[in-house]
Amino acid sequence: MKRCEEEYKVLISGYLDGELAPEEKRDLEDHLAGCPACQRELDAMRRLFWGTSAAFEGGDISEETWDRYLENVYNRLERRTGWALFIFGVCCLALYGFYAFIMEPWTSAAVKVLLAIPMAGLAVLFVSVLRQRLESIKTDRYTREIHR
């Protein structure tokens, strides 16, 4: 079998690809008739060859499919950019609002505390949802296997 692996494995690959000279092809076929190990190797490589060939078949992709694919890529890029700008703007406004809330003497300290409590609750809820979402992205099998 060792000799077979060294000598005929390359020929089997070339045989499946149709790259062998007629005498090499005949020599391999003679060997395959008497060597069950190489016959198994040929069968395994043939199944692999057909499996990968079938995966790449499908003919030409239509122009409409390409257009739809590119439109989806553009839409995703556009939405991500929009969300990033929106979140950045909200964070800047929140920081400025926090600064103005603390530093400006527009009302009493009691009113500031009453306004700060619901804002603190909203911030805690936001962080909780964000943390849960980030954890689910790490562990969600569907997200890891399906590339959008």
Side-chain angles (χ1 to χ4, degrees), residues 2 36 45 49 52 58-59 66-67 78 80 84-85 120 140:
K2 185 76 173 167
M45 290 182 76
F49 179 78
T52 53
W66 275 113
D67 288 344
E78 191 176 61
R80 285 184 181 181
L85 289 173
D140 187 14

Side-chain angles (χ1 to χ4, degrees), residues 95-113 115:
L95 287 174
Y96 177 74
F98 183 73
Y99 171 78
F101 183 77
I102 298 296
M103 302 305 281
E104 296 293 325
W106 55 274
T107 187
S108 69
V111 173
K112 286 183 178 181
V113 169
L115 288 174

Side-chain angles (χ1 to χ4, degrees), residues 60-133:
D60 294 329
I61 297 173
S62 70
E63 192 71 26
E64 179 182 324
T65 303
W66 275 113
D67 288 344
R68 204 174 27 223
Y69 172 75
L70 292 174
E71 185 176 324
N72 284 339
V73 169
Y74 178 74
N75 285 341
R76 277 187 267 144
L77 181 65
E78 191 176 61
R79 288 180 189 145
R80 285 184 181 181
T81 303
W83 275 110
L85 289 173
F86 177 75
I87 290 171
F88 179 74
V90 167
C91 288
C92 288
L93 283 174
L95 287 174
Y96 177 74
F98 183 73
Y99 171 78
F101 183 77
I102 298 296
M103 302 305 281
E104 296 293 325
W106 55 274
T107 187
S108 69
V111 173
K112 286 183 178 181
V113 169
L114 290 176
L115 288 174
I117 290 173
M119 291 302 184
L122 188 63
V124 169
L125 288 174
F126 175 75
V127 169
S128 174
V129 169
L130 182 65
R131 185 178 50 78
Q132 182 182 16
R133 183 75 180 128

